Amino acid sequence: FPDVMDTWFQSQGKTKYIAIARGAALAVASIAKLWMIANDAPLAAFAAVFSAELAVAGLALFYLGAKTGNRLRPGFNRELASNLLARGWPLCISGLFVILIMQSDRILIKHILGNEALGMYSAAAQISGVWYMVPVIIGTAVAPHLSRLFDTDEPRYHALLHNVYTAMSLISVLAGICF
């Protein structure tokens, strides 16, 4: 359900709510994971924090959606689900392989360096993952404007696109230097 609300906010051009909900949930979960590492928390605690992060982001998106006028009523349509699965199975398999590839570093670290190193690496990767949100937020925020400019004023479209790429590059370099 959080992804449905995320998509709804994007369709309305209200991307700041996505950033607020997901960013807050990620920040709180990252702090909790750091505390758990420092206090040698059991694996089950990490799983609980991961689940809580998803739940908090979903509830925050649902709350913000209701507060901003969304009248979406959750439901299930078997025919639509079957149709989407029939047409989207290649995308599902592709997504599965992307997840596997993205986790390959963790598998290697576990087998080469052990569980303790894997725990530290995973926590650090989660913290550094906060920076992945910055270009996503910027891209999501400017996408509707870029779309309109592409159709109406191509020179301004290219100028804005250049500025967005420059800003993202500078942010990346600064984040790399500072952290």
Side-chain angles (χ1 to χ4, degrees):
F1 192 69
D3 290 335
V4 173
M5 293 305 299
D6 188 301
T7 304
W8 181 80
F9 277 121
Q10 288 181 36
S11 74
Q12 303 299 307
K14 299 178 180 179
T15 55
K16 71 178 181 180
Y17 296 110
I18 300 168
I20 290 168
R22 292 195 184 265
L26 178 62
V28 171
S30 296
I31 291 168
K33 289 174 188 173
L34 284 173
W35 182 85
M36 290 188 310
I37 290 170
N39 292 295
D40 294 322
L43 182 61
F46 285 90
V49 167
F50 177 75
S51 298
E53 177 185 352
L54 294 175
V56 167
L59 290 172
L61 285 169
F62 183 73
Y63 170 77
L64 291 170
K67 190 175 177 180
T68 58
N70 178 7
R71 301 290 178 232
L72 183 66
R73 294 194 185 6
F76 183 77
N77 181 328
R78 182 180 296 261
E79 183 179 328
L80 178 60
S82 297
N83 186 5
L84 290 174
L85 283 174
R87 293 184 345 189
W89 69 266
L91 185 59
C92 292
I93 291 177
S94 169
L96 177 65
F97 282 114
V98 166
I99 291 169
L100 290 173
I101 289 169
M102 289 179 66
Q103 298 300 316
S104 64
D105 56 345
R106 288 174 173 87
I107 294 167
L108 288 172
I109 289 171
K110 178 182 178 183
H111 288 293
I112 296 171
L113 301 175
N115 287 332
E116 186 176 337
L118 174 61
M120 286 190 245
Y121 175 82
S122 294
Q126 184 75 20
I127 292 167
S128 72
V130 171
W131 285 104
Y132 293 141
M133 288 184 59
V134 173
V136 171
I137 292 168
I138 293 170
T140 304
V142 299
H145 189 60
L146 280 170
S147 236
R148 278 190 300 271
L149 284 178
F150 183 79
D151 291 335
T152 59
D153 190 352
E154 198 166 333
R156 282 186 57 208
Y157 163 79
H158 287 290
L160 178 60
L161 192 61
H162 175 75
N163 290 341
V164 169
Y165 285 152
T166 301
M168 287 187 192
S169 297
L170 287 174
I171 291 169
S172 299
V173 168
L174 288 174
I177 291 170
C178 294
F179 299 102

